[in-house]
């Protein structure tokens, strides 16, 4: 079974991401969750914090590893011998961007294939951005993120 690289910002991890990781872990030999450490993208949590949250919530999968990376996703994949990129598609609005990115990545690294998976329907509309809006404005996001993640977000955003 191939290994898959699941890259993203994960700022912060949501139940949608965790749903996708569980689906990937059942399908691939190993899923390497790669947290983008991109100083140009303003994040609420540092890459180190995002990695720690993901590790806490993926501990039950023996074939899931969480790392952080900077630079091109395809460079990380090829230098670690991984030939599958795993991405989630939620709604049709994701599709165009994901399609563009997959073809760009294929052009950069022809040996690397992108595989899309869909989350469970209850998470199909979920995004880290929306959750930050909800929590930042005092709303309850406990059905979309793990409890400790919600607490950490509230602490950071409601200062
Ligand atoms: P990015 O900064 O690359 O958009 P995200 O952290 O938002 O990263 O998402 C990482 C990956 O997880 C992307 O492929 C995204 O489509 C997918 N994803 C995000 N939220 C969900 C969700 N609710 N269900 C399924 N996939 C998701």
């Amino acid at each position: 079974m191939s290994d898959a690289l699941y890259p993203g910002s994960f700022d912060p991890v949501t139940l949608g991401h965790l749903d996708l990781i569980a689906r990937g872990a059942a399908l691939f030999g190993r899923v390497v969750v790669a947290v983008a450490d991109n100083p140009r993208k303003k994040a609420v949590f540092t890459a180190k914090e995002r990695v720690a949250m993901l590790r806490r919530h993926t501990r039950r999968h023996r074939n899931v590893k969480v790392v952080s990376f900077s630079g091109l996703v395809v460079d990380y994949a090829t230098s670690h011998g991984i030939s599958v990129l795993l991405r989630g598609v939620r709604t049709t609005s994701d599709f165009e961007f994901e399609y563009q990115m997959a073809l760009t990545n294929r052009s950069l690294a022809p040996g690397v294939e992108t595989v899309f998976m869909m989350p469970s329907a209850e998470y199909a509309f979920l995004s880290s951005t929306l959750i930050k809006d909800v929590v930042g404005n005092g709303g309850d996001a406990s059905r979309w993120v793990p409890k400790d993640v919600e607490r950490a977000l509230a602490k950071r955003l409601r200062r």
Side-chain angles (χ1 to χ4, degrees), residues 113-128:
E113 213 50 76
T114 301
V115 169
F116 294 109
M117 291 183 85
M118 279 155 290
S120 165
E122 63 200 291
Y123 304 130
F125 63 94
L126 211 62
S127 75
S128 299

Side-chain angles (χ1 to χ4, degrees), residues 33-46:
V33 183
V35 175
D37 189 1
N38 180 355
R40 272 167 304 159
K41 248 190 180 177
K42 246 189 92 189
V44 171
F45 296 106
T46 65

Side-chain angles (χ1 to χ4, degrees), residues 88-96 98 118-119 123-126:
V89 270
R90 289 162 289 193
T91 54
T92 49
S93 56
D94 269 351
F95 187 74
E96 200 166 337
E98 290 292 340
M118 279 155 290
Y123 304 130
F125 63 94
L126 211 62

